[in-house]
Amino acid sequence: MNKAETSYSEIIGDASLSNKGKIGVFFNEIKALIKIGIVNSNMITVFAGFWLAVHFSNSSFISHWGTFLLTMVGSVLVIAGGCIINNWYDADIDPKMSRTKKRPTVTGFISLKTALIVGLVTTAVGLIMLLFTTALAALFAFIGWFVYVVLYTMWSKRRYTLNTAIGSISGAMPPLIGWAAFDPSMHIVPIVMFLIMFIWQTPHFLALAMKKTEDYRAAGVPMLPVVYGFEFTKRQIVVYTACLLPLPFLLVSLGTTFVVIAVLLNLGWLVLGFRGFFMKDDLKWANIMFIYSLNYLIILFPLMIIVTLPIFN
């Protein structure tokens, strides 16, 4: 039996699979359904937002452990809910792309009706949990969900090359959720974190779009490299990367160590961006830029936490 093309009920009834094997298949499919990579990366920024709100209020993180758990679990559920509904809505075009053709909503492992219900329920539960922190945190989460599900997935993704910029609003909300869950008042730090995430996403996803141009073309999704070609896309990537340059200087409150490392990360990314105008292999360059963007996020946001640890103060 082909496990990638069977429903959940068929997996459960498959006598050739051990219970451990069935559980493994089930969890792998669930991770694909909720887009675990997106959830994980967003949770880094939610955590950073919450941590820095505690830090700048001179409060104790341990004494707010309950609020932290509500924030993290609620955020996971809202983000996962949006991703599930994205899979539900895109079930007609996902089979046309190699990286999405084995999603559980495509293979039939999870029915579309089930996916829709689970996505809506998961989202609702997450929003309710965030309401137990602050109303602003729940509002930011709902805005992010609405932008991703309605404005990006259902409206702009299949119509406009600006779909990436529109979707970036959603991906930039998590640090605001984390901060607002502890402190609903505005501060320069969460605003800059929002800007970093908003700008970061365009070069990140455009590099991915270059790598998967033929997939997007086959699915009829008007990503920038599909509509305007690689050269135009490379210029856009460099422009957005350059826009990150001044932002570390707005976070001087995090200390010199952070500012220096963040500036070096930005300069390194920009240098790689300019290399794209001289490299002959565009896809190799796009892959380098994509990997760098992942490492950029993995380094930058945990660094915000590290430099605010007591050992640095």
Side-chain angles (χ1 to χ4, degrees), residues 34-287:
I34 68 173
K35 301 185 180 182
I36 192 66
I38 291 178
V39 172
N40 288 340
S41 61
N42 278 291
M43 295 321 296
I44 294 173
T45 62
V46 173
F47 177 51
F50 188 93
W51 176 274
L52 292 180
V54 173
H55 170 76
F56 282 100
S57 67
N58 295 314
S59 300
S60 166
F61 183 83
I62 298 298
S63 62
H64 296 281
W65 188 251
T67 303
F68 171 71
L69 287 179
L70 282 171
T71 303
M72 297 300 287
V73 176
S75 298
V76 164
L77 292 175
V78 174
I79 295 167
C83 290
I84 293 170
I85 296 176
N86 172 272
N87 281 338
W88 164 78
Y89 191 83
D90 281 349
D92 60 327
I93 62 173
D94 280 346
K96 302 175 183 179
M97 297 187 283
S98 59
R99 73 184 183 89
T100 59
K101 66 183 181 180
K102 291 187 177 181
R103 284 177 176 170
T105 43
V106 175
T107 63
F109 184 86
I110 295 175
S111 71
L112 294 182
K113 181 180 179 180
T114 299
L116 178 60
I117 293 172
V118 171
L120 291 173
V121 171
T122 301
T123 300
V125 173
L127 289 173
I128 292 170
M129 293 183 72
L130 288 172
L131 277 172
F132 282 97
T133 61
T134 69
L136 187 60
L139 177 61
F140 282 148
F142 175 75
I143 291 172
W145 181 92
F146 181 83
V147 170
Y148 182 67
V149 171
V150 179
L151 300 186
Y152 170 70
T153 300
M154 298 181 179
W155 175 58
S156 64
K157 181 176 180 178
R158 307 186 190 201
R159 292 178 175 87
Y160 310 110
T161 56
L162 283 175
N163 57 19
T164 304
I166 292 170
S168 294
I169 298 172
S170 174
M173 298 306 292
L176 293 183
I177 298 170
W179 183 284
F182 180 84
D183 180 8
S185 62
M186 279 295 95
H187 190 283
I188 185 63
V189 171
I191 293 172
V192 175
M193 295 170 77
F194 172 88
L195 291 174
I196 290 173
M197 285 303 300
F198 176 76
I199 296 170
W200 170 85
Q201 287 173 94
T202 294
H204 169 74
F205 283 110
L206 287 184
L208 176 62
M210 287 181 65
K211 293 174 57 180
K212 302 296 181 180
T213 296
E214 295 309 314
D215 273 3
Y216 284 116
R217 181 175 285 115
V221 178
M223 297 299 289
L224 208 64
V226 174
V227 178
Y228 293 107
F230 284 175
E231 290 304 311
F232 184 86
T233 303
K234 288 191 287 186
R235 290 196 294 271
Q236 291 296 302
I237 288 175
V238 169
V239 167
Y240 273 92
T241 305
C243 288
L244 289 169
L245 289 176
L247 296 183
F249 298 103
L250 299 177
L251 294 175
V252 291
S253 56
L254 294 180
T256 303
T257 300
F258 172 80
V259 173
V260 169
I261 295 176
V263 168
L264 291 175
L265 282 172
N266 288 339
L267 289 174
W269 202 0
L270 188 60
V271 169
L272 285 178
F274 277 113
R275 281 190 61 193
F277 298 123
F278 305 98
M279 286 183 63
K280 295 181 178 180
D281 191 336
D282 289 331
L283 294 181
K284 180 179 179 180
W285 174 82
N287 190 53

